[in-house]
Short mmCIF file of all heavy atoms in Angstrom, two decimals:
data_model
loop_
_atom_site.label_atom_id
_atom_site.label_comp_id
_atom_site.label_asym_id
_atom_site.label_seq_id
_atom_site.Cartn_x
_atom_site.Cartn_y
_atom_site.Cartn_z
N SER A 1277 -46.67 -89.37 42.73
CA SER A 1277 -45.95 -88.70 41.66
C SER A 1277 -44.79 -89.58 41.23
O SER A 1277 -44.35 -90.45 41.97
CB SER A 1277 -45.44 -87.32 42.09
OG SER A 1277 -44.44 -87.45 43.07
N THR A 1278 -44.35 -89.35 40.02
CA THR A 1278 -43.15 -90.01 39.50
C THR A 1278 -42.24 -88.92 38.95
O THR A 1278 -42.70 -87.84 38.58
CB THR A 1278 -43.48 -91.02 38.38
OG1 THR A 1278 -44.18 -90.34 37.33
CG2 THR A 1278 -44.33 -92.16 38.91
N SER A 1279 -40.97 -89.22 38.90
CA SER A 1279 -40.02 -88.24 38.39
C SER A 1279 -38.81 -88.94 37.79
O SER A 1279 -38.48 -90.07 38.16
CB SER A 1279 -39.59 -87.30 39.51
OG SER A 1279 -39.04 -88.03 40.58
N ILE A 1280 -38.19 -88.25 36.87
CA ILE A 1280 -36.95 -88.72 36.26
C ILE A 1280 -35.98 -87.55 36.30
O ILE A 1280 -36.35 -86.42 35.99
CB ILE A 1280 -37.18 -89.16 34.80
CG1 ILE A 1280 -38.15 -90.33 34.75
CG2 ILE A 1280 -35.86 -89.52 34.13
CD1 ILE A 1280 -38.53 -90.76 33.35
N GLY A 1281 -34.76 -87.82 36.71
CA GLY A 1281 -33.77 -86.75 36.75
C GLY A 1281 -32.72 -87.01 37.81
O GLY A 1281 -32.64 -88.10 38.37
N LEU A 1282 -31.97 -86.00 38.10
CA LEU A 1282 -30.90 -86.10 39.07
C LEU A 1282 -31.49 -86.18 40.48
O LEU A 1282 -31.96 -85.19 41.03
CB LEU A 1282 -29.97 -84.88 38.96
CG LEU A 1282 -28.71 -84.92 39.81
CD1 LEU A 1282 -27.88 -86.14 39.46
CD2 LEU A 1282 -27.91 -83.65 39.59
N GLN A 1283 -31.54 -87.38 41.03
CA GLN A 1283 -32.10 -87.60 42.36
C GLN A 1283 -31.56 -88.90 42.94
O GLN A 1283 -31.26 -89.83 42.20
CB GLN A 1283 -33.62 -87.63 42.31
CG GLN A 1283 -34.19 -88.69 41.40
CD GLN A 1283 -35.69 -88.58 41.24
OE1 GLN A 1283 -36.40 -88.34 42.19
NE2 GLN A 1283 -36.17 -88.78 40.02
N ALA A 1284 -31.45 -88.93 44.23
CA ALA A 1284 -31.01 -90.14 44.92
C ALA A 1284 -31.44 -90.03 46.37
O ALA A 1284 -31.34 -88.98 46.98
CB ALA A 1284 -29.49 -90.29 44.84
N GLY A 1285 -31.96 -91.11 46.90
CA GLY A 1285 -32.31 -91.13 48.31
C GLY A 1285 -33.66 -91.75 48.58
O GLY A 1285 -34.36 -92.20 47.68
N ALA A 1286 -34.01 -91.76 49.84
CA ALA A 1286 -35.30 -92.26 50.30
C ALA A 1286 -35.72 -91.42 51.49
O ALA A 1286 -34.88 -90.96 52.26
CB ALA A 1286 -35.21 -93.73 50.67
N GLN A 1287 -37.01 -91.22 51.63
CA GLN A 1287 -37.51 -90.35 52.68
C GLN A 1287 -38.92 -90.76 53.08
O GLN A 1287 -39.71 -91.19 52.24
CB GLN A 1287 -37.51 -88.91 52.17
CG GLN A 1287 -37.96 -87.88 53.16
CD GLN A 1287 -37.95 -86.48 52.53
OE1 GLN A 1287 -38.45 -86.28 51.44
NE2 GLN A 1287 -37.38 -85.53 53.24
N LYS A 1288 -39.21 -90.60 54.34
CA LYS A 1288 -40.57 -90.72 54.86
C LYS A 1288 -40.85 -89.40 55.56
O LYS A 1288 -40.01 -88.90 56.32
CB LYS A 1288 -40.67 -91.87 55.85
CG LYS A 1288 -42.05 -92.01 56.46
CD LYS A 1288 -42.07 -93.12 57.49
CE LYS A 1288 -43.17 -92.84 58.47
NZ LYS A 1288 -42.96 -93.41 59.76
#
Side-chain angles (χ1 to χ4, degrees):
S1277 67
T1278 57
S1279 57
I1280 297 175
L1282 187 58
Q1283 58 187 319
Q1287 182 181 48
K1288 178 183 154 206

